[in-house]
Amino acid sequence: MGQVRTILLTLIMLAGIVFPAAGHASLLFYASSNNMVGTPSNILKVFNDGTSSVWNITWDRAFELYDPRGIAIDSAGNVYVNDSQYILKIDPSGNGTVFATKPSDSYGYGVTVDALGNVYSVGAVGFYYGIYKYDASGQLIDTWTLQGQSLSNLAIGHDGYIYSGDTFAGAVYRFDPADGSHTVYASVDSAGDVAFAPDGTLYVGSYKAVYQVADDVVSVALNRRVYQSYGLGVDADGTLYIGNNRSNWDNEILSHQPGSSTASYTIFADLTEEQTITGIAMVPEPSTVTLLVIAGAFVVFVARSRSRFKPRPWAE
């Protein structure tokens, strides 16, 4: 009886992971929120029903978010934030530490992390923008200098290369993570934040529009309602989320369905004037492989349990 109870509890637990209860809001993404009116700035937890709450972070020392302008998440659920001089790391439980201190103060706000745990951050390199590369322990291992460019956030494509928009140049750059060499991937007017969809489409934020780049063709994805699109994210279904900062109005997060018209949007989340979104980091969803591994492990567990506790035949 005890084994049956264990099996049932395990099944319920797995079902809760794979198939959340109907109506229960699950975490969809983190958003860096720069308070342009007062202090402090913060990180928002945004849920799939459009609600949000301030993430209550426990810092390992006296610390207050000052100017968070970029956010990324790794496969383990750790969140990285580019906050002026610092790169911050927050674990899934909300414990925050200073991951690295940039060589000089900068309001560059791009940050991303690759599959090996290397962290890339936009910052000031002399009089110019550049990208700092850190290993998984927070040690600076490389610096890429870009004369004259004004980089936005950073995103890693399916090819492993790093992409960033340059508002002044009207270009999206493609960086080789090995040595920082770069080329112009696409020309987009006032190119800002970038984000990749699961199908490889690259979205690029701009003034009063969001563009998309697919098969080397640049076209408009959305040009209605958008004012300043600081922060883009795409979920596993391809839905695009846009941090729409509306200056003297209340801010918001828009959603846009792939393949819909350039005027099609939904106000996904209403925010306040103080909640100026500067970056979105989508929470990875369990992959099909992960679910198959979980299911396989459960089948093996059940089989072994049945074998172990199989009634023995009566002795002759």
Side-chain angles (χ1 to χ4, degrees):
M1 187 67 181
Q3 289 300 310
V4 173
R5 184 181 296 110
T6 301
I7 292 172
L8 289 175
L9 289 174
T10 304
L11 180 60
I12 292 171
M13 180 186 70
L14 292 175
I17 294 173
V18 179
F19 305 107
H24 177 71
S26 59
L27 180 63
L28 186 60
F29 56 82
Y30 296 96
S32 50
S33 175
N34 193 332
N35 192 329
M36 308 299 286
V37 178
T39 56
S41 297
N42 49 54
I43 305 300
L44 298 179
K45 300 173 75 172
V46 182
F47 304 92
N48 61 4
D49 62 356
T51 60
S52 63
S53 63
V54 172
W55 196 5
N56 185 20
I57 301 168
T58 303
W59 298 103
D60 65 343
R61 66 183 195 186
F63 195 87
E64 185 176 89
L65 284 170
Y66 171 63
D67 191 25
R69 289 177 173 251
I71 187 167
I73 188 169
D74 65 17
S75 58
N78 298 301
V79 175
Y80 297 83
V81 181
N82 190 340
D83 188 10
S84 187
Q85 187 179 0
Y86 302 104
I87 307 300
L88 310 172
K89 181 179 180 179
I90 310 158
D91 70 20
S93 298
N95 299 306
T97 60
V98 173
F99 173 76
T101 301
K102 289 188 285 187
S104 61
D105 281 329
S106 168
Y107 289 93
Y109 65 100
V111 65
T112 194
V113 55
D114 66 20
L116 299 176
N118 296 311
V119 176
Y120 305 82
S121 166
V122 174
V125 181
F127 294 103
Y128 305 106
Y129 271 76
I131 295 177
Y132 297 112
K133 180 179 179 179
Y134 303 87
D135 65 17
S137 68
Q139 294 297 311
L140 181 65
I141 56 177
D142 205 355
T143 301
W144 309 337
T145 304
L146 295 91
Q147 295 186 1
Q149 280 84 347
S150 175
L151 300 179
S152 61
N153 75 327
L154 303 174
I156 297 180
H158 294 171
D159 56 4
Y161 281 69
I162 299 168
Y163 294 76
S164 184
D166 183 341
T167 302
F168 295 155
V172 176
Y173 300 117
R174 179 177 181 266
F175 296 88
D176 186 331
D179 58 12
S181 59
H182 66 281
T183 58
V184 174
Y185 177 73
S187 295
V188 177
D189 184 46
S190 300
D193 282 6
V194 294
F196 278 97
D199 66 359
T201 297
L202 176 66
Y203 289 102
V204 185
S206 181
Y207 177 63
K208 294 192 175 181
V210 176
Y211 293 88
Q212 58 190 7
V213 184
D215 298 323
D216 297 325
V217 176
V218 179
S219 60
V220 174
L222 179 65
N223 59 1
R224 194 69 61 87
R225 184 76 180 189
V226 179
Y227 186 70
Q228 293 282 5
S229 51
Y230 299 147
L232 301 179
V234 188
D235 67 17
D237 296 324
T239 302
L240 171 66
Y241 298 90
I242 306 160
N244 191 30
N245 300 299
R246 306 177 64 216
S247 188
N248 294 325
W249 303 291
D250 286 349
N251 300 312
E252 61 198 11
I253 298 171
L254 305 178
S255 64
H256 172 76
Q257 297 300 321
S260 59
S261 76
T262 60
S264 175
Y265 67 87
T266 298
I267 299 176
F268 178 73
D270 278 315
L271 305 173
T272 67
E273 183 182 354
E274 291 82 6
Q275 293 173 316
T276 302
I277 301 301
T278 55
I280 289 175
M282 304 301 300
V283 174
E285 296 188 7
S287 66
T288 302
V289 173
T290 300
L291 298 183
L292 288 175
V293 169
I294 293 174
F298 178 69
V299 170
V300 171
F301 170 77
V302 172
R304 288 182 175 177
S305 297
R306 291 182 63 183
S307 174
R308 182 179 302 173
F309 294 95
K310 181 179 179 180
R312 295 184 178 181
W314 293 104
E316 294 291 339

Short mmCIF file of all heavy atoms in Angstrom, two decimals, residues 185-226:
data_model
loop_
_atom_site.label_atom_id
_atom_site.label_comp_id
_atom_site.label_asym_id
_atom_site.label_seq_id
_atom_site.Cartn_x
_atom_site.Cartn_y
_atom_site.Cartn_z
N TYR A 185 24.38 42.20 -39.88
CA TYR A 185 23.43 41.13 -40.22
C TYR A 185 22.22 41.67 -40.97
O TYR A 185 21.71 41.03 -41.88
CB TYR A 185 23.01 40.42 -38.94
CG TYR A 185 21.97 39.34 -39.14
CD1 TYR A 185 22.31 38.13 -39.73
CD2 TYR A 185 20.64 39.54 -38.73
CE1 TYR A 185 21.37 37.13 -39.91
CE2 TYR A 185 19.69 38.55 -38.91
CZ TYR A 185 20.06 37.35 -39.50
OH TYR A 185 19.11 36.38 -39.68
N ALA A 186 21.75 42.85 -40.57
CA ALA A 186 20.57 43.45 -41.21
C ALA A 186 20.58 44.94 -40.97
O ALA A 186 21.08 45.42 -39.94
CB ALA A 186 19.29 42.83 -40.66
N SER A 187 20.01 45.67 -41.91
CA SER A 187 19.85 47.12 -41.75
C SER A 187 18.41 47.40 -41.33
O SER A 187 17.47 47.07 -42.06
CB SER A 187 20.17 47.83 -43.07
OG SER A 187 21.53 47.66 -43.41
N VAL A 188 18.26 48.00 -40.15
CA VAL A 188 16.94 48.30 -39.59
C VAL A 188 17.00 49.70 -39.01
O VAL A 188 17.87 50.01 -38.19
CB VAL A 188 16.54 47.30 -38.50
CG1 VAL A 188 15.18 47.68 -37.90
CG2 VAL A 188 16.49 45.88 -39.06
N ASP A 189 16.08 50.54 -39.40
CA ASP A 189 16.06 51.92 -38.92
C ASP A 189 15.96 51.96 -37.39
O ASP A 189 15.08 51.32 -36.81
CB ASP A 189 14.88 52.66 -39.56
CG ASP A 189 14.86 54.13 -39.17
OD1 ASP A 189 15.93 54.78 -39.23
OD2 ASP A 189 13.78 54.62 -38.79
N SER A 190 16.86 52.69 -36.74
CA SER A 190 16.87 52.85 -35.28
C SER A 190 16.83 51.50 -34.57
O SER A 190 16.09 51.32 -33.59
CB SER A 190 15.69 53.71 -34.83
OG SER A 190 15.75 54.99 -35.40
N ALA A 191 17.62 50.56 -35.05
CA ALA A 191 17.61 49.20 -34.49
C ALA A 191 17.94 49.23 -33.00
O ALA A 191 18.96 49.78 -32.58
CB ALA A 191 18.61 48.33 -35.23
N GLY A 192 17.06 48.61 -32.22
CA GLY A 192 17.26 48.56 -30.78
C GLY A 192 17.32 47.13 -30.28
O GLY A 192 18.11 46.33 -30.76
N ASP A 193 16.45 46.80 -29.32
CA ASP A 193 16.47 45.47 -28.72
C ASP A 193 16.16 44.39 -29.75
O ASP A 193 15.39 44.59 -30.68
CB ASP A 193 15.47 45.40 -27.58
CG ASP A 193 15.99 46.07 -26.32
OD1 ASP A 193 17.08 46.67 -26.40
OD2 ASP A 193 15.32 45.99 -25.28
N VAL A 194 16.75 43.21 -29.54
CA VAL A 194 16.56 42.09 -30.45
C VAL A 194 16.15 40.85 -29.66
O VAL A 194 16.49 40.70 -28.47
CB VAL A 194 17.84 41.79 -31.25
CG1 VAL A 194 18.16 42.95 -32.19
CG2 VAL A 194 19.03 41.53 -30.33
N ALA A 195 15.41 39.95 -30.33
CA ALA A 195 14.99 38.69 -29.71
C ALA A 195 14.70 37.68 -30.81
O ALA A 195 14.16 38.04 -31.86
CB ALA A 195 13.76 38.88 -28.82
N PHE A 196 15.05 36.42 -30.56
CA PHE A 196 14.82 35.37 -31.54
C PHE A 196 13.57 34.57 -31.20
O PHE A 196 13.31 34.26 -30.03
CB PHE A 196 16.01 34.41 -31.59
CG PHE A 196 17.15 34.91 -32.43
CD1 PHE A 196 18.22 35.56 -31.85
CD2 PHE A 196 17.13 34.74 -33.81
CE1 PHE A 196 19.27 36.02 -32.63
CE2 PHE A 196 18.18 35.21 -34.60
CZ PHE A 196 19.25 35.85 -34.00
N ALA A 197 12.81 34.21 -32.24
CA ALA A 197 11.70 33.30 -32.11
C ALA A 197 12.20 31.87 -32.27
O ALA A 197 13.31 31.65 -32.80
CB ALA A 197 10.64 33.61 -33.17
N PRO A 198 11.44 30.88 -31.84
CA PRO A 198 11.89 29.48 -31.99
C PRO A 198 12.19 29.09 -33.43
O PRO A 198 13.03 28.22 -33.67
CB PRO A 198 10.71 28.68 -31.43
CG PRO A 198 10.04 29.60 -30.46
CD PRO A 198 10.19 30.96 -31.07
N ASP A 199 11.51 29.70 -34.41
CA ASP A 199 11.75 29.36 -35.81
C ASP A 199 12.93 30.11 -36.42
O ASP A 199 13.21 29.98 -37.61
CB ASP A 199 10.49 29.60 -36.65
CG ASP A 199 10.10 31.08 -36.73
OD1 ASP A 199 10.80 31.93 -36.13
OD2 ASP A 199 9.09 31.38 -37.39
N GLY A 200 13.64 30.89 -35.62
CA GLY A 200 14.81 31.60 -36.10
C GLY A 200 14.56 33.02 -36.54
O GLY A 200 15.50 33.76 -36.88
N THR A 201 13.29 33.44 -36.57
CA THR A 201 12.98 34.82 -36.92
C THR A 201 13.57 35.76 -35.88
O THR A 201 13.46 35.52 -34.67
CB THR A 201 11.46 35.05 -37.00
OG1 THR A 201 10.91 34.23 -38.04
CG2 THR A 201 11.13 36.50 -37.27
N LEU A 202 14.22 36.82 -36.34
CA LEU A 202 14.79 37.81 -35.43
C LEU A 202 13.88 39.03 -35.39
O LEU A 202 13.56 39.61 -36.43
CB LEU A 202 16.18 38.23 -35.89
CG LEU A 202 16.85 39.34 -35.08
CD1 LEU A 202 17.15 38.86 -33.66
CD2 LEU A 202 18.12 39.83 -35.76
N TYR A 203 13.44 39.40 -34.20
CA TYR A 203 12.65 40.62 -34.02
C TYR A 203 13.57 41.74 -33.56
O TYR A 203 14.48 41.52 -32.75
CB TYR A 203 11.54 40.40 -32.99
CG TYR A 203 10.43 39.50 -33.49
CD1 TYR A 203 10.37 38.17 -33.09
CD2 TYR A 203 9.46 39.98 -34.36
CE1 TYR A 203 9.35 37.34 -33.55
CE2 TYR A 203 8.44 39.16 -34.83
CZ TYR A 203 8.40 37.84 -34.42
OH TYR A 203 7.40 37.01 -34.88
N VAL A 204 13.31 42.92 -34.09
CA VAL A 204 14.15 44.08 -33.78
C VAL A 204 13.25 45.24 -33.38
O VAL A 204 12.39 45.68 -34.16
CB VAL A 204 15.01 44.50 -35.00
CG1 VAL A 204 15.95 45.63 -34.61
CG2 VAL A 204 15.78 43.31 -35.56
N GLY A 205 13.43 45.75 -32.17
CA GLY A 205 12.66 46.89 -31.71
C GLY A 205 13.17 48.18 -32.32
O GLY A 205 14.36 48.33 -32.60
N SER A 206 12.26 49.11 -32.53
CA SER A 206 12.62 50.40 -33.10
C SER A 206 11.64 51.45 -32.57
O SER A 206 10.78 51.14 -31.75
CB SER A 206 12.56 50.33 -34.64
OG SER A 206 12.93 51.57 -35.22
N TYR A 207 11.78 52.68 -33.03
CA TYR A 207 10.87 53.74 -32.61
C TYR A 207 9.55 53.58 -33.36
O TYR A 207 9.49 53.60 -34.57
CB TYR A 207 11.50 55.10 -32.91
CG TYR A 207 10.61 56.28 -32.59
CD1 TYR A 207 10.21 56.53 -31.27
CD2 TYR A 207 10.19 57.14 -33.59
CE1 TYR A 207 9.39 57.61 -30.98
CE2 TYR A 207 9.38 58.24 -33.30
CZ TYR A 207 8.99 58.46 -31.99
OH TYR A 207 8.18 59.54 -31.70
N LYS A 208 8.48 53.35 -32.60
CA LYS A 208 7.12 53.20 -33.11
C LYS A 208 6.92 52.00 -34.03
O LYS A 208 5.97 51.97 -34.81
CB LYS A 208 6.66 54.49 -33.81
CG LYS A 208 6.52 55.66 -32.84
CD LYS A 208 5.81 56.83 -33.48
CE LYS A 208 5.58 57.94 -32.45
NZ LYS A 208 4.86 59.11 -33.03
N ALA A 209 7.78 51.01 -33.93
CA ALA A 209 7.61 49.80 -34.74
C ALA A 209 8.52 48.69 -34.22
O ALA A 209 9.51 48.94 -33.54
CB ALA A 209 7.92 50.07 -36.21
N VAL A 210 8.14 47.46 -34.53
CA VAL A 210 8.99 46.30 -34.33
C VAL A 210 9.13 45.62 -35.69
O VAL A 210 8.13 45.38 -36.39
CB VAL A 210 8.41 45.32 -33.30
CG1 VAL A 210 9.29 44.07 -33.20
CG2 VAL A 210 8.28 45.98 -31.94
N TYR A 211 10.37 45.32 -36.08
CA TYR A 211 10.63 44.69 -37.37
C TYR A 211 10.96 43.22 -37.16
O TYR A 211 11.26 42.77 -36.05
CB TYR A 211 11.81 45.39 -38.06
CG TYR A 211 11.51 46.81 -38.48
CD1 TYR A 211 11.71 47.87 -37.60
CD2 TYR A 211 11.01 47.09 -39.75
CE1 TYR A 211 11.43 49.17 -37.96
CE2 TYR A 211 10.73 48.40 -40.14
CZ TYR A 211 10.94 49.43 -39.24
OH TYR A 211 10.65 50.73 -39.60
N GLN A 212 10.90 42.47 -38.24
CA GLN A 212 11.30 41.08 -38.21
C GLN A 212 12.24 40.79 -39.37
O GLN A 212 12.13 41.37 -40.45
CB GLN A 212 10.07 40.15 -38.29
CG GLN A 212 9.21 40.35 -39.51
CD GLN A 212 7.90 39.59 -39.41
OE1 GLN A 212 7.57 39.02 -38.37
NE2 GLN A 212 7.14 39.57 -40.49
N VAL A 213 13.21 39.90 -39.10
CA VAL A 213 14.17 39.51 -40.13
C VAL A 213 14.06 38.00 -40.29
O VAL A 213 14.34 37.24 -39.36
CB VAL A 213 15.61 39.88 -39.73
CG1 VAL A 213 16.57 39.56 -40.87
CG2 VAL A 213 15.70 41.36 -39.35
N ALA A 214 13.63 37.56 -41.47
CA ALA A 214 13.48 36.14 -41.77
C ALA A 214 14.01 35.88 -43.17
O ALA A 214 13.62 36.58 -44.12
CB ALA A 214 12.02 35.71 -41.66
N ASP A 215 14.88 34.90 -43.30
CA ASP A 215 15.49 34.58 -44.61
C ASP A 215 16.13 35.82 -45.23
O ASP A 215 15.99 36.07 -46.45
CB ASP A 215 14.45 33.98 -45.55
CG ASP A 215 13.86 32.67 -45.02
OD1 ASP A 215 14.63 31.91 -44.41
OD2 ASP A 215 12.66 32.44 -45.21
N ASP A 216 16.79 36.60 -44.40
CA ASP A 216 17.52 37.81 -44.82
C ASP A 216 16.61 38.92 -45.34
O ASP A 216 17.09 39.90 -45.92
CB ASP A 216 18.54 37.47 -45.91
CG ASP A 216 19.61 36.50 -45.41
OD1 ASP A 216 19.98 36.60 -44.24
OD2 ASP A 216 20.05 35.65 -46.21
N VAL A 217 15.31 38.80 -45.11
CA VAL A 217 14.36 39.82 -45.54
C VAL A 217 13.85 40.58 -44.32
O VAL A 217 13.38 39.96 -43.35
CB VAL A 217 13.18 39.22 -46.32
CG1 VAL A 217 12.16 40.30 -46.68
CG2 VAL A 217 13.67 38.52 -47.58
N VAL A 218 13.94 41.91 -44.35
CA VAL A 218 13.46 42.75 -43.26
C VAL A 218 12.05 43.25 -43.59
O VAL A 218 11.81 43.77 -44.69
CB VAL A 218 14.39 43.97 -43.04
CG1 VAL A 218 13.85 44.85 -41.92
CG2 VAL A 218 15.80 43.50 -42.74
N SER A 219 11.12 43.07 -42.65
CA SER A 219 9.76 43.55 -42.85
C SER A 219 9.19 44.02 -41.52
O SER A 219 9.76 43.74 -40.45
CB SER A 219 8.87 42.45 -43.45
OG SER A 219 8.82 41.33 -42.59
N VAL A 220 8.09 44.72 -41.56
CA VAL A 220 7.45 45.22 -40.34
C VAL A 220 6.64 44.10 -39.68
O VAL A 220 5.86 43.41 -40.35
CB VAL A 220 6.52 46.41 -40.65
CG1 VAL A 220 5.75 46.83 -39.40
CG2 VAL A 220 7.33 47.58 -41.19
N ALA A 221 6.84 43.90 -38.39
CA ALA A 221 6.03 42.94 -37.64
C ALA A 221 4.84 43.64 -37.00
O ALA A 221 3.70 43.16 -37.07
CB ALA A 221 6.87 42.26 -36.57
N LEU A 222 5.08 44.79 -36.38
CA LEU A 222 4.02 45.55 -35.72
C LEU A 222 4.35 47.04 -35.77
O LEU A 222 5.45 47.43 -35.38
CB LEU A 222 3.89 45.11 -34.25
CG LEU A 222 2.83 45.82 -33.41
CD1 LEU A 222 1.42 45.54 -33.94
CD2 LEU A 222 2.94 45.39 -31.95
N ASN A 223 3.41 47.83 -36.27
CA ASN A 223 3.62 49.29 -36.30
C ASN A 223 2.40 50.05 -35.78
O ASN A 223 2.17 51.19 -36.16
CB ASN A 223 3.97 49.76 -37.71
CG ASN A 223 2.90 49.42 -38.74
OD1 ASN A 223 1.87 48.85 -38.41
ND2 ASN A 223 3.16 49.76 -39.99
N ARG A 224 1.65 49.41 -34.93
CA ARG A 224 0.52 50.05 -34.28
C ARG A 224 0.70 49.99 -32.77
O ARG A 224 1.14 48.97 -32.24
CB ARG A 224 -0.78 49.32 -34.69
CG ARG A 224 -2.06 50.06 -34.35
CD ARG A 224 -2.26 51.32 -35.19
NE ARG A 224 -2.34 51.02 -36.62
CZ ARG A 224 -3.46 50.69 -37.25
NH1 ARG A 224 -4.59 50.58 -36.57
NH2 ARG A 224 -3.44 50.47 -38.55
N ARG A 225 0.43 51.07 -32.09
CA ARG A 225 0.48 51.17 -30.63
C ARG A 225 1.91 51.30 -30.09
O ARG A 225 2.13 51.93 -29.05
CB ARG A 225 -0.20 49.97 -29.99
CG ARG A 225 -0.29 49.99 -28.46
CD ARG A 225 -1.37 50.92 -27.96
NE ARG A 225 -1.46 50.93 -26.50
CZ ARG A 225 -2.43 51.54 -25.82
NH1 ARG A 225 -3.40 52.15 -26.47
NH2 ARG A 225 -2.43 51.52 -24.51
N VAL A 226 2.90 50.74 -30.77
CA VAL A 226 4.28 50.75 -30.27
C VAL A 226 4.79 52.19 -30.20
O VAL A 226 4.64 52.96 -31.15
CB VAL A 226 5.21 49.93 -31.16
CG1 VAL A 226 6.64 49.97 -30.64
CG2 VAL A 226 4.72 48.49 -31.25
#
